[in-house]
C-alpha cells in the first residue's frame, strides 16, 4: 500500500508551489481572523525554514509520508509545534494539489512561451540572412518550384507563432485559483478566496468548488498545445536531418550539435535533431495518458488523479529541452547557399514558370500550357538537358510562337523573385514577413 500510494518521488517537484500556496493561505486565514497573527508568523517562519532545507538538500523525504503536502505539514509541526496544525484549516489536500499542479503547469506554459519566442527569433535571424537564398521547394518531397530558405524558415515562424497563441490561450483559461474549494464542497470558514487568488497571481477564484478539485483539463490543454508544438519541432528536425545528409548537403551542423560514430571515423551524426524528432512521442504519450486517466472519472477527486503529474512533468521537460536544442542548432548551423541554389534549378523546377509564360505571352489556356510544358520536359529529359538548355527548334516544334525570351523565366532566381503575391516566396515578400514578425515580437 505504501508503495502504490506514495507520490513523493514525483510531486517533490511541487515543493515551491506548495509553499507558495501555504503562505498565501496562512496570510489570508490570519487576515480573516481564522487563525491568530502569532500562529501565522510561526507558520511563515516555518515555511521559510523548510524552503531553505529543500534548497540545501537537508530536507528528508520518506515514502511513509505519501506526498509533498504531508511532508511539508509534518516538517512544519516538527519545526514550530502545534501552530502547524492550524495551517490546514479550511483547506484539503484536494484543493491544495489542484492549486500546486495548476501553478506548476502555468509556470511551465510561461517557460514554453519564452522558449518558443527564442526559437522564433533564431528562425528570424537565419531567415533574414537567407531571404534570397534559393532552395528547392517540395511537395511529396519532390522538387516542385524554387523557393528561398528564408521563406521556408518563415513557415516555421508562423507555426511556432500559433503554438505560442495556443499556450497563451490555455494559460489565460487556467488562470483561476482553486484554493478554497476545500475537499469538494467549499468551507464554512469565512475565507477570502479573492485574496488568495490575487496573492498567487490568478485572475479570479474558480467558480465551482467541485469543478475546482475534479478538473485537470488545464493540464490536458497545455499538453495538447505541447503535442502540436512538438509535432512542428519534429518536422523541422526531420528536415534538418535530411538537409545535412550527403544527398542534400544544404546545411552543415556544428560539432556542438552532432556526435561522432564509435566505428566510422568520417561520420557526424545529427543526434540532437533526431532526438527532437523523437520527443514528440513523450508529449503525445503524456496527453494520451492523462486523457485516459481522466476519462469516465466520476466527480470529484479520485486518487487516479495523482497519476496526472509524472507524464506532465516528463512532457514539459522534453518539450523545453527540444525548444532549447532546436534554437541552439539553428543559431549554429552553416547554410550552404551554392549547394541549395544548384539543387533549386534541378528537376525541371521552373516548369510552372514556362507554363505561366505560355499563358501570359501566347495567351494559351493554362491547361494547354501545362500540356505543352509537359512535352518540353519530356524532350529535355530524353535529351538529358535542363529546360533552359532545350534548343529553340525543339520548343518551336511544340509551339512555333515560342521566342528565346522564354529562357529568362526558366532561371530559378527569377522564378522565386516573381512570386510576389502576398505570402509568396519573392525575397521582398519574405523580408516584409520578417519585419512584420519582428514588430510583433518586439
Ligand atoms: N498526492 C495526491 C495527489 O497528487 C494529493 C491529493 C490527495 N488527496 C486525497 N484526498 N487523498 O493527487
Amino acid at each position: 500500500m505504501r508503495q502504490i500510494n506514495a507520490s513523493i518521488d514525483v510531486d517533490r517537484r511541487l515543493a515551491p508551489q506548495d509553499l507558495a500556496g501555504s503562505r498565501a493561505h496562512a496570510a489570508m486565514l490570519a487576515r480573516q481572523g481564522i487563525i491568530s497573527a502569532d500562529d501565522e508568523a510561526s507558520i511563515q517562519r516555518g515555511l521559510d525554514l523548510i524552503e531553505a532545507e529543500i534548497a540545501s538538500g537537508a530536507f528528508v523525504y520518506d515514502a511513509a509520508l505519501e506526498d509533498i503536502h504531508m511532508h511539508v505539514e509534518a516538517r512544519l509541526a516538527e519545526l514550530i509545534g502545534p501552530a502547524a496544525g492550524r495551517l490546514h484549516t479550511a483547506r484539503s489536500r484536494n484543493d491544495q494539489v489542484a492549486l500546486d499542479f495548476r501553478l506548476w503547469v502555468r509556470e511551465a506554459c510561461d517557460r514554453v512561451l519564452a522558449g518558443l519566442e527564442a526559437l522564433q527569433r533564431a528562425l528570424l535571424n537565419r531567415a533574414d540572412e537567407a531571404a534570397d537564398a534559393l532552395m528547392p521547394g517540395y511537395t511529396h518531397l519532390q522538387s516542385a518550384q524554387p523557393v528561398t530558405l528564408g521563406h521556408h524558415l518563415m513557415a516555421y515562424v508562423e507555426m511556432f507563432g500559433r503554438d505560442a497563441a495556443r499556450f497563451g490561450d490555455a494559460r489565460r483559461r487556467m488562470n483561476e485559483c482553486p484554493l478554497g474549494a476545500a475537499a469538494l464542497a467549499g468551507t464554512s470558514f469565512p475565507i477570502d478566496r479573492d485574496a488568495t487568488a490575487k496573492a498567487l497571481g490568478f485572475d479570479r477564484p474558480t467558480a465551482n468548488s467541485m469543478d475546482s478539485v475534479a478538473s485537470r483539463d488545464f493540464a490536458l490543454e497545455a499538453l495538447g498545445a505541447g503535442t502540436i508544438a512538438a509535432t512542428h519541432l519534429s518536422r523541422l528536425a526531420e528536415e534538418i536531418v535530411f538537409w545535412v545528409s550527403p544527398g542534400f548537403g544544404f546545411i552543415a551542423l556544428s560539432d556542438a550539435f552532432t556526435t561522432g560514430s564509435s566505428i566510422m571515423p568520417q561520420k557526424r551524426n545529427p543526434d540532437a535533431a533526431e532526438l527532437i524528432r523523437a520527443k514528440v512521442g513523450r508529449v503525445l504519450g503524456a496527453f494520451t495518458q492523462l486523457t485516459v486517466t481522466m476519462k469516465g472519472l466520476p466527480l470529484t477527486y479520485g486518487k487516479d488523479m495523482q497519476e496526472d503529474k509524472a507524464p506532465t512533468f516528463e512532457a514539459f521537460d522534453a518539450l523545453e529541452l527540444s525548444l532549447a536544442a532546436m534554437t541552439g542548432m539553428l543559431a549554429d548551423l552553416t547554410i550552404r547557399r551554392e549547394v541549395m541554389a544548384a539543387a533549386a534549378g534541378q528537376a525541371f523546377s521552373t516548369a510552372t514558370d514556362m507554363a505561366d509564360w505560355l499563358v501570359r505571352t501566347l495567351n494559351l489556356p493554362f491547361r494547354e500550357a501545362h500540356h505543352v510544358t509537359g512535352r518540353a520536359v519530356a524532350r529535355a529529359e530524353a535529351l538529358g538537358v535542363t529546360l533552359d538548355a532545350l534548343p529553340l527548334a525543339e520548343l518551336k516544334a511544340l509551339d512555333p510562337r515560342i521566342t528565346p525570351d522564354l529562357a529568362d523565366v526558366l532561371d530559378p532566381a527569377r522564378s522565386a523573385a516573381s512570386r510576389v503575391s502576398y505570402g509568396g516566396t519573392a525575397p521582398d515578400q519574405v523580408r516584409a514577413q520578417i519585419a512584420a514578425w519582428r514588430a510583433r515580437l518586439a
Side-chain angles (χ1 to χ4, degrees):
M1 179 56 190
R2 181 175 305 165
Q3 256 187 308
I4 194 169
N5 205 36
S7 57
I8 186 62
D9 285 346
V10 172
D11 61 29
R12 51 190 287 178
R13 276 182 81 165
L14 292 179
Q17 292 76 17
D18 199 70
L19 292 169
S22 288
R23 285 188 177 113
H25 185 64
M28 180 278 293
L29 290 177
R31 248 190 336 266
Q32 296 298 105
I34 300 168
I35 65 172
S36 71
D38 281 354
D39 284 344
E40 195 233 333
S42 315
I43 289 169
Q44 300 291 4
R45 187 173 47 82
L47 294 173
D48 289 347
L49 291 171
I50 291 171
E51 182 178 32
E53 287 182 357
I54 291 173
S56 73
F59 194 82
V60 180
Y61 298 96
D62 172 4
L65 285 172
E66 245 186 272
D67 57 25
I68 187 64
H69 324 296
M70 306 282 261
H71 274 76
V72 170
E73 191 173 331
R75 183 65 184 139
L76 193 62
E78 287 170 6
L79 289 168
I80 68 165
R86 300 197 183 274
L87 173 60
H88 214 51
T89 314
R91 187 175 74 169
S92 150
R93 269 192 297 161
N94 296 349
D95 61 339
Q96 191 175 356
V97 75
L99 169 68
D100 294 2
F101 191 38
R102 205 181 275 239
L103 285 170
W104 192 93
V105 174
R106 189 179 73 181
E107 287 169 32
C109 286
D110 288 339
R111 288 192 301 271
V112 168
L113 281 165
L116 282 167
E117 186 177 327
L119 174 56
Q120 284 186 297
R121 287 186 190 282
L123 283 163
L124 281 167
N125 289 340
R126 300 322 295 263
D128 204 358
E129 159 193 352
D132 58 357
L134 292 175
M135 72 179 286
Y138 301 97
T139 64
H140 313 266
L141 199 53
Q142 300 290 321
S143 187
Q145 291 173 347
V147 296
T148 68
L149 178 61
H151 194 50
H152 193 120
L153 296 178
M154 288 304 291
Y156 283 102
V157 171
E158 295 287 335
M159 290 182 236
F160 293 125
R162 289 192 296 277
D163 290 326
R166 272 183 280 273
F167 272 102
D169 286 346
R171 192 201 190 284
R172 259 187 300 284
R173 236 183 318 282
M174 81 178 65
N175 205 29
E176 297 184 342
C177 184
L179 186 62
L184 78 162
T187 175
S188 55
F189 290 98
I191 59 171
D192 180 352
R193 293 195 60 206
D194 289 304
T196 43
K198 188 158 176 255
L200 293 163
F202 289 101
D203 295 329
R204 64 192 80 83
T206 49
N208 181 294
S209 62
M210 295 179 77
D211 171 48
S212 309
V213 296
S215 295
R216 294 293 183 269
D217 55 286
F218 64 88
L220 280 175
E221 209 177 331
L223 290 171
T227 300
I228 300 174
T231 306
H232 291 154
L233 282 164
S234 81
R235 295 182 75 172
L236 180 52
E238 163 66 356
E239 297 198 310
I240 288 173
V241 168
F242 68 73
W243 287 346
V244 294
S245 83
F248 284 82
F250 291 178
I251 59 168
L253 294 173
S254 71
D255 282 357
F257 286 94
T258 52
T259 59
S261 156
S262 57
I263 175 166
M264 295 161 285
Q266 84 286 9
K267 288 195 73 191
R268 298 302 304 167
N269 299 325
D271 297 43
E274 294 170 281
L275 288 162
I276 294 169
R277 187 171 62 181
K279 295 273 187 205
V280 59
R282 287 188 193 238
V283 187
L284 173 60
F287 179 78
T288 307
Q289 196 174 330
L290 185 53
T291 301
V292 175
T293 297
M294 298 310 293
K295 180 199 165 292
L297 262 196
L299 300 190
T300 52
Y301 178 85
K303 196 65 174 259
D304 316 50
M305 288 159 72
Q306 179 164 283
E307 293 291 312
D308 56 3
K309 290 166 215 68
T312 307
F313 292 164
E314 192 185 46
F316 275 98
D317 289 346
L319 181 58
E320 290 172 46
L321 191 54
S322 297
L323 285 167
M326 183 57 89
T327 304
M329 200 161 39
L330 278 168
D332 229 35
L333 58 80
T334 306
I335 299 168
R336 299 210 159 121
R337 291 178 77 106
E338 332 68 53
V339 178
M340 284 193 314
Q346 285 162 7
F348 310 105
S349 65
T350 52
T352 316
D353 299 275
M354 173 170 171
D356 288 350
W357 185 91
L358 295 170
V359 169
R360 239 188 335 258
T361 316
L362 306 185
N363 199 27
L364 292 191
F366 181 77
R367 272 292 153 234
E368 198 183 326
H370 183 276
H371 179 69
V372 171
T373 308
R375 284 166 58 205
V377 167
R379 278 309 291 155
E381 218 161 16
L383 297 171
V385 297
T386 55
L387 214 44
D388 58 341
L390 200 60
L392 189 61
E394 292 279 349
L395 293 166
K396 288 214 179 277
L398 300 173
D399 189 313
R401 293 171 298 166
I402 293 178
T403 62
D405 293 356
L406 169 63
D408 292 347
V409 300
L410 300 178
D411 171 51
R414 284 213 23 183
S415 163
S418 73
R419 304 271 191 272
V420 291
S421 54
Y422 176 73
T425 197
D428 286 350
Q429 276 298 323
V430 174
R431 289 194 187 97
Q433 297 298 328
I434 293 170
W437 266 105
R438 286 214 159 116
R440 239 170 110 171
L441 294 181

